[in-house]
Amino acid sequence: MDQYSASTIAAGIAGNLFAFVLFVSPMPTFRRIVGNESTEEFSGSPYVYSLMNCLICMWYGLPCVGGVVLVATVNSAGAVFQSAYVGVFIFYADQARKLRMIAMFMGVLCTFIAIVYVSLEFFDPLNRKTFVGYLSMASLISMFASPLFIINLVIRTRSVEFMPFYLSLATTLMSLSFFVYGMLLHDFFIYIPNGIGALLGVVQLLLYGYYGGKSRERSILPLLA
């Protein structure tokens, strides 16, 4: 294996490892839900949206579409984690929220099945990669745009109370790893959204450095609805 290939694989594996940190980060929330046997005021929507993102990106990474193995592996693991979180949330939610979450979950599955069917039935391999690639890029950008709310909140309150440092750091490192991975593969469907994610992550870390001394970090509240 030459140095270029080794560097590419190393960047992809690093992205997988940092993504795993993000996948397990909601566990304290779900331990609380299980312990209290209630979803309280937590929202299950982010986990449904994350599941949709993981499924689309996993489909892009599979050999029959984009053939990017390390993208397929990380998003396969992500889909398992998000499905488990959604399942726990549905089990402990009250009746109204349970029905709403089930409807959202079924909507995600139906949408993903439709994407798979359309991409296989109506696109040849080259155009299939382009079609699914743009979908995955749009999904990733929308996911990476979510910290804009937290960034605005930090600037407005001049406090990092609602922005956990380690979560921001893991997000930044994951995005940066996959940005490098995408650049080495010359795959703009990977490096463009992850470049945006890395940039937003750096902004969060800079804000943390600037406002960090003015407030105490709290790692659970950002997971509240």
Side-chain angles (χ1 to χ4, degrees):
M1 182 184 297
D2 58 28
Q3 186 175 357
Y4 183 86
S5 299
S7 300
T8 303
I9 293 173
I13 291 175
N16 275 248
L17 294 175
F18 292 127
F20 182 79
V21 174
L22 296 180
F23 295 152
V24 301
S25 64
M27 282 189 174
T29 298
F30 283 89
R31 279 199 297 266
R32 175 173 167 176
I33 288 174
V34 173
N36 296 335
E37 297 184 354
S38 169
T39 58
E40 303 175 42
E41 295 303 315
F42 292 102
S43 172
S45 300
Y47 308 106
V48 178
Y49 298 141
S50 294
L51 175 60
M52 183 79 258
N53 176 74
C54 287
L55 289 173
I56 293 175
C57 294
M58 177 192 71
W59 181 236
Y60 175 76
L62 290 177
C64 57
V65 183
V68 188
V69 176
L70 290 174
V71 169
T73 56
V74 67
N75 285 286
S76 297
V80 172
F81 274 98
Q82 303 309 324
S83 297
Y85 294 146
V86 170
V88 171
F89 197 93
I90 289 173
F91 185 81
Y92 288 104
D94 58 52
Q95 190 63 24
R97 299 177 82 185
K98 189 188 299 285
L99 293 175
R100 185 164 62 248
M101 284 292 293
I102 290 174
M104 293 175 66
F105 181 67
M106 295 305 297
V108 164
L109 293 183
C110 290
T111 301
F112 177 63
I113 291 171
I115 290 172
V116 171
Y117 174 77
V118 169
S119 59
L120 290 176
E121 188 70 19
F122 298 102
F123 293 93
D124 59 46
L126 180 60
N127 289 321
R128 184 184 306 144
K129 179 180 180 179
T130 302
F131 170 68
V132 180
Y134 277 115
L135 288 178
S136 67
M137 186 163 64
S139 178
L140 279 169
I141 290 174
S142 66
M143 184 185 74
F144 286 134
S146 60
L148 290 174
F149 169 78
I150 297 297
I151 290 173
N152 177 63
L153 183 64
V154 170
I155 294 174
R156 186 158 46 84
T157 62
R158 304 178 68 82
S159 168
V160 294
E161 177 178 18
F162 301 102
M163 188 174 68
F165 173 77
Y166 291 110
L167 195 60
S168 298
L169 179 62
T171 302
T172 304
L173 292 174
M174 181 200 71
S175 300
L176 188 59
S177 297
F178 276 112
F179 169 73
V180 173
Y181 185 58
M183 289 291 290
L184 291 173
L185 289 178
H186 306 291
D187 190 330
F188 69 89
F189 293 127
I190 299 175
Y191 69 71
I192 287 179
N194 283 286
I196 294 172
L199 180 62
L200 290 174
V202 169
V203 171
Q204 290 181 69
L205 295 178
L206 290 174
L207 287 174
Y208 198 93
Y210 184 75
Y211 293 113
K214 303 176 182 179
S215 64
R216 181 172 59 88
E217 179 184 356
R218 296 168 67 185
S219 61
I220 295 178
L221 287 179
L223 299 175
L224 291 174

